[in-house]
Amino acid sequence: NPCAPGQVMAIVAAIASPYALALPSHGVTVIGNLPPITFILTVPTLDAIASLDLLEGAIAIAIVGFGSGIVTARSFATKSGNDVDAGKELIGFGTANVASGLFGGFPVTAADSRTAVNYAIGGKTQLVGLIAAAALAGTILYIGNVLAYLPIAVLGAVLVSAAIDLIDLPELRTLYRISRP
């Protein structure tokens, strides 16, 4: 049923199952406790900025992150009939990475699976991304301790089911009985 939130129901059932079935004691890996979140503005030292080891890794992350991001953006832009400005995408990634670095965050790249989920539910504007980011932040801050019991396999299955729509093969849609909106 397209109106029933199947993935959400699967996650709720999967979170409840470790309690009822003691899945971790049977070798099922769960996400586990999230590390504490702190938002402290830190400016990197000149030694860290000038480190060649850091520079090599940063260049690699920038190339892979931008490459992945632009492929995702172009893929979904093609599906929705929009254009992508690679220069603006690069500026966006760079700005987000500078902000993330100043607060001790992870490198920022495209989220292919999150984009696929947003697209699958009919989201086509930047507002969907902002709502998804707010929902993600709220989830981590307020129910992160509950997510600790989510089996990793279930999380992977949810991401795969959302990403299947990225593959535009009629045979695959028929096999999985996926209907296109």
Side-chain angles (χ1 to χ4, degrees), residues 37-109:
I37 298 172
T38 57
F39 299 106
I40 300 170
L41 179 63
T42 56
V43 178
T45 64
L46 290 178
D47 293 338
I49 293 173
S51 168
L52 289 180
D53 292 335
L54 181 65
L55 183 62
E56 291 169 356
I59 290 172
I61 289 171
I63 291 170
V64 171
F66 178 70
S68 171
I70 198 67
V71 167
T72 299
R74 286 186 175 163
S75 171
F76 284 98
T78 299
K79 286 183 176 195
S80 62
N82 295 315
D83 293 323
V84 173
D85 183 342
K88 288 182 180 178
E89 292 288 327
L90 184 59
I91 290 170
F93 280 127
T95 304
N97 275 303
V98 168
S100 178
L102 290 174
F103 287 95
F106 289 103
V108 177
T109 61

Side-chain angles (χ1 to χ4, degrees), residues 54-173:
L54 181 65
L55 183 62
E56 291 169 356
I59 290 172
I61 289 171
I63 291 170
V64 171
F66 178 70
S68 171
I70 198 67
V71 167
T72 299
R74 286 186 175 163
S75 171
F76 284 98
T78 299
K79 286 183 176 195
S80 62
N82 295 315
D83 293 323
V84 173
D85 183 342
K88 288 182 180 178
E89 292 288 327
L90 184 59
I91 290 170
F93 280 127
T95 304
N97 275 303
V98 168
S100 178
L102 290 174
F103 287 95
F106 289 103
V108 177
T109 61
D112 304 343
S113 58
R114 201 168 46 235
T115 302
V117 169
N118 289 343
Y119 189 82
I121 63 169
K124 293 184 175 59
T125 67
Q126 294 173 345
L127 181 60
V128 174
L130 293 173
I131 292 170
L136 178 63
T139 299
I140 290 171
L141 292 172
Y142 298 109
I143 63 168
N145 57 339
V146 174
L147 291 177
Y149 298 100
L150 178 66
I152 291 176
V154 173
L155 179 61
V158 168
L159 295 177
V160 167
S161 73
I164 283 177
D165 195 43
L166 294 174
I167 303 170
D168 193 20
L169 297 174
E171 299 85 17
L172 184 67
R173 286 195 305 271

